[in-house]
Amino acid sequence: MNIIKTLTKSIREYKRESILSPVMVSCEVIMEVLIPLLMARLIDHLGDGSMTELIRYSLILLVLAFISLFFGATAAKESSTASCGLAKNLRQDIFDRVQTFAFQDIDKFSEASLVTRMTTDVTNVQMAYAMLIRAAFRAPLMIIFSVIMAFTINGRMASIFLVMIPILAVIIFGIAIKTHPIFVRIFKKYDAMNNGVQENIQGMRVVKSFVREDHEKKKFYEQSETVRSDFTHVEKILALNNPTMMACVFTSITLISYFGARLIIQTQGSALTTGELSSLISYGVQILISIMMLSFVFILCLISAESAQRITEVLNYNASITSPAEGKKEVADGSIDFEDVSFKYSEHGKKYALSDINLHIPSGATIGIIGGTGSSKSTLVQLISRLYDVSKGSVKVGGVDVKDYDLESLRDQVAMVLQKNVLFSGTINENLRWGNPDASDEEILRVCRLAQADEFVQEFPEKYETMISQGGTNVSGGQKQRLCIARALLKKPKILILDDSTSAVDTRTDAKIRQAFREEIPDTTKIIIAQRVSSVEDADQILVMDGGRIAEQGTSQELLNKNGIYREVYDSQTRSSGEEPAAAETGKEE
């Protein structure tokens, strides 16, 4: 009931079509069950030789056939509109719900699984819904009315149908119990297979550079083979459905034909006429077709039941990070405070990614962060804009706990350029305006100059109207990083976070970007995560992360004097680049 209640919320503007379809189907069924009864009258009047009666019944049958056709066509049109509308709304609702998810929520479902739910699962539900509001109404009504009409003709003959219907119900129920667990297993394997495809496409350059195409093909074949094997197994079970039901119904028709013919001969047509026997056979055929249709609907519902469950799971999922009811909308300044902060990715996890972080960053300061892989540099800054929530302690921005801010207002003032720079298909202008949809051309030009992006953009024939392919594959890594920095600057944030986002930029361009930041946005708090010491050595404060803790903190010169981790990294990088330590300590660029 919870699944049905959740899915029906997405019908919305298609309620009229959803109601009209079964109404039209009901009218169609009434017309169709009257036709065999009138056919019986017509057959019985053939021996009378009365043309008037023949013409009258023929005209009535013709009118009923056209009325039935009208109701059937209308029902088909309305059910198609309603089911397609439901699918559209479901995809929109799932997409809207996903937009509220935090990073950890996305990790829980996985990207591939969410895509499968929005495509394959929604399509399954769409097909099932189209059948439910049309065929699922038509088949039971047709069976009920046909049996009733058969009883009005001859109760003893019609009772044969009543014996067969429970037998068919038991068969269908048995198939459902057997196949449902298999469908649950299949959809989980679908997710795994789609996840493998997604990884392969995203990492195509790595696959080719390591010549691992054969390995990837073999891995996909094995995943695809397991899905095929399960589907084959379930199809073998479902294949028993139709022949079993046809055998039952045709047995019913054969018995009616045999006993009906005997009854006509024995009673000289007084207990049962030839026309009535013909009608009983017609009703038997209608019941056969209806049961076949009902079994098809049942199988489709079996397949879509798991899809409906998976869709409902997303729609009813409460995001782990939400805005407070009366969230603060104004961010006073770019100051940041970490107070006894500890964090772990799972509440059930034992190990903390961050431990005992105490830090004050004044508004307008430039903070550099370095550390080895896995030292939780990125995790630290992601707490500032509530991409994750702290497990212990608090993070404050502008003197206010980030949990007390309206999420949109907070993130509008905290611009992040993440490690994985993403550009979307569209022009450079369209990508940049993600930072500010109302930005003028002059503002775009200014931020691109700050990010050292204008120079290479001007070299493109279409300049800022140059089309970016999906994922930004037609620009270099350094160009992509600079465009992403420009996009972040366009937000005019109080806090700018660069998470290793100049790694693909040469040191000369990196220095120009940092100089532009100092001169053009002095009031913006700047946090720079980098692997290169040269990218952070002129920062007001440098944090050295190690094992999820702040191991060292101070200016570049202070950290050099400590002869700790920073000194080791500094010396290794300056020696490998051929710099003299004394010259490097002055902070001069080559």
Side-chain angles (χ1 to χ4, degrees):
M1 290 303 297
N2 179 53
I3 293 174
I4 294 172
K5 184 178 178 181
T6 301
L7 295 182
T8 51
K9 290 179 183 177
S10 298
I11 296 174
R12 294 197 289 274
E13 68 269 30
Y14 297 97
K15 287 180 181 177
R16 173 186 168 277
E17 290 82 357
S18 298
I19 295 171
L20 198 57
S21 178
V23 170
M24 292 293 104
V25 164
S26 302
C27 295
E28 180 190 16
V29 168
I30 292 171
M31 295 298 106
E32 289 191 10
V33 296
L34 289 175
I35 289 175
L37 189 64
L38 291 172
M39 283 291 293
R41 302 281 177 85
L42 179 62
I43 292 171
D44 288 339
H45 279 289
L46 286 175
D48 298 344
S50 173
M51 290 301 296
T52 303
E53 288 296 310
L54 291 175
I55 293 172
R56 185 165 72 90
Y57 279 114
S58 297
L59 289 174
I60 293 172
L61 287 169
L62 190 62
V63 170
L64 288 178
F66 275 109
I67 294 174
S68 176
L69 177 63
F70 168 77
F71 285 137
T74 304
K77 174 180 174 295
E78 300 300 335
S79 67
S80 297
T81 303
S83 60
C84 291
L86 172 65
K88 180 201 74 172
N89 288 343
L90 279 176
R91 289 191 181 97
Q92 187 65 53
D93 292 344
I94 295 172
F95 188 81
D96 291 346
R97 176 65 66 177
V98 170
Q99 300 311 301
T100 69
F101 286 1
F103 281 10
Q104 62 202 68
D105 302 327
I106 299 292
D107 295 340
K108 176 182 177 180
F109 285 99
S110 88
E111 296 172 15
S113 178
L114 289 172
V115 170
T116 304
R117 293 170 204 239
M118 290 184 65
T119 51
T120 304
D121 289 335
V122 170
T123 300
N124 288 340
V125 171
Q126 175 187 342
M127 293 171 63
Y129 187 65
M131 286 294 177
L132 284 172
I133 61 176
R134 189 185 177 200
F137 269 88
R138 175 188 171 84
L141 285 176
M142 183 63 78
I143 293 171
I144 293 169
F145 287 163
S146 294
V147 171
I148 291 172
M149 296 302 288
F151 266 95
T152 62
I153 295 172
N154 190 291
R156 290 175 62 188
M157 295 291 102
S159 62
I160 295 174
F161 294 131
L162 291 183
V163 174
M164 289 297 178
I165 290 174
I167 296 174
L168 295 174
V170 170
I171 294 171
I172 292 174
F173 185 70
I175 290 173
I177 294 175
K178 188 71 174 176
T179 57
H180 184 261
I182 304 174
F183 281 119
V184 174
R185 187 167 69 242
I186 286 172
F187 280 108
K188 289 181 179 178
K189 291 182 178 180
Y190 255 134
D191 284 345
M193 185 173 67
N194 289 343
N195 189 57
V197 172
Q198 186 177 16
E199 284 184 347
N200 178 270
I201 293 173
Q202 289 178 345
M204 185 61 70
R205 290 177 175 83
V206 178
V207 172
K208 290 188 177 300
S209 64
F210 282 88
V211 197
R212 298 287 284 176
E213 292 92 342
D214 289 341
H215 169 77
E216 289 295 306
K217 286 190 287 186
K218 181 181 177 182
K219 185 172 74 172
F220 179 79
Y221 173 81
E222 290 172 352
Q223 292 175 325
S224 181
E225 179 63 21
T226 58
V227 172
R228 182 208 62 79
S229 177
D230 281 344
F231 258 121
T232 302
H233 180 49
V234 79
E235 287 290 347
K236 287 178 180 178
I237 299 172
L238 294 176
L240 300 173
N241 185 49
N242 285 355
T244 305
M245 284 190 292
M246 289 181 70
C248 289
V249 177
F250 279 127
T251 300
S252 301
I253 294 174
T254 302
L255 291 174
I256 286 174
S257 300
Y258 173 73
F259 289 115
R262 284 188 60 182
L263 189 61
I264 292 172
I265 294 171
Q266 290 172 356
T267 62
Q268 298 295 314
S270 61
L272 185 70
T273 66
T274 304
E276 288 173 338
L277 177 59
S278 175
S279 294
L280 283 173
I281 294 173
S282 296
Y283 286 129
V285 173
Q286 286 183 341
I287 292 171
L288 165 64
I289 295 172
S290 298
I291 291 176
M292 295 287 289
M293 186 183 298
L294 198 59
S295 70
F296 177 72
V297 173
F298 184 75
I299 291 169
L300 196 58
C301 288
L302 273 180
I303 296 172
S304 64
E306 180 60 20
S307 292
Q309 170 65 39
R310 286 156 54 84
I311 291 170
T312 304
E313 188 181 2
V314 176
L315 293 178
N316 289 340
Y317 184 80
N318 294 318
S320 56
I321 296 177
T322 57
S323 290
E326 300 294 331
K328 187 176 177 63
K329 294 185 180 296
E330 294 295 326
V331 179
D333 55 46
S335 63
I336 305 167
D337 292 281
F338 286 78
E339 298 178 353
D340 299 318
V341 169
S342 294
F343 170 79
K344 54 184 177 182
Y345 285 98
S346 171
E347 59 182 9
H348 305 295
K350 295 181 180 179
K351 185 178 180 181
Y352 282 92
L354 290 168
S355 301
D356 305 320
I357 303 296
N358 286 281
L359 176 66
H360 171 69
I361 300 175
S363 181
T366 299
I367 303 297
I369 304 177
I370 67 169
T373 302
S375 59
S376 298
K377 305 184 295 298
S378 298
T379 304
L380 179 73
V381 296
Q382 286 171 0
L383 298 176
I384 298 171
S385 58
R386 283 196 78 194
L387 296 178
Y388 291 100
D389 267 341
V390 298
S391 302
K392 294 180 182 178
S394 65
V395 178
K396 295 180 179 179
V397 171
V400 177
D401 194 314
V402 292
K403 293 182 180 179
D404 296 330
Y405 280 111
D406 173 75
L407 263 180
E408 185 175 339
S409 300
L410 172 66
R411 290 173 180 172
D412 266 343
Q413 295 302 321
V414 182
M416 289 192 68
V417 185
L418 299 171
Q419 284 178 314
K420 295 181 180 180
N421 296 288
V422 177
L423 293 175
F424 299 88
S425 53
T427 65
I428 291 177
N429 259 329
E430 289 169 347
N431 269 278
L432 293 173
R433 283 195 166 92
W434 272 64
N436 180 4
D438 301 319
S440 65
D441 292 340
E442 290 75 18
E443 289 176 306
I444 288 175
L445 192 63
R446 177 178 175 273
V447 296
C448 282
R449 285 172 177 166
L450 285 175
Q452 305 301 308
D454 180 63
E455 183 178 350
F456 74 80
V457 172
Q458 295 294 347
E459 293 177 357
F460 293 136
E462 301 296 326
K463 296 182 171 49
Y464 285 90
E465 294 304 315
T466 299
M467 289 296 298
I468 298 293
S469 61
Q470 187 176 20
T473 55
N474 60 334
V475 290
S476 70
Q479 290 171 338
K480 186 190 297 185
Q481 287 185 337
R482 282 176 277 175
L483 287 173
C484 289
I485 292 171
R487 181 173 63 189
L489 288 172
L490 208 55
K491 291 179 68 173
K492 299 178 181 177
K494 287 185 170 65
I495 299 171
L496 174 64
I497 300 172
L498 304 180
D499 187 357
D500 204 18
S501 52
T502 58
S503 58
V505 173
D506 61 88
T507 54
R508 181 171 173 273
T509 303
D510 186 13
K512 286 183 177 180
I513 293 173
R514 287 184 283 114
Q515 182 181 356
F517 287 171
R518 287 193 300 271
E519 296 174 355
E520 300 294 334
I521 50 171
D523 297 329
T524 299
T525 303
K526 298 165 283 291
I527 300 177
I528 303 171
I529 297 176
Q531 298 295 332
R532 293 188 304 226
V533 170
S534 61
S535 296
V536 298
E537 64 181 344
D538 57 352
D540 299 319
Q541 287 284 311
I542 298 173
L543 308 180
V544 180
M545 300 292 297
D546 186 36
R549 298 174 182 271
I550 299 177
E552 298 176 10
Q553 180 177 350
T555 63
S556 178
Q557 191 59 54
E558 289 171 348
L559 295 178
L560 286 172
N561 294 336
K562 288 182 179 180
N563 289 321
I565 297 173
Y566 180 82
R567 180 74 194 212
E568 290 179 13
V569 175
Y570 183 88
D571 287 345
S572 65
Q573 291 187 7
T574 53
R575 279 197 300 268
S576 62
S577 63
E579 292 183 15
E580 290 293 333
E585 287 176 15
T586 65
K588 293 180 181 179
E589 299 288 343
E590 285 189 349

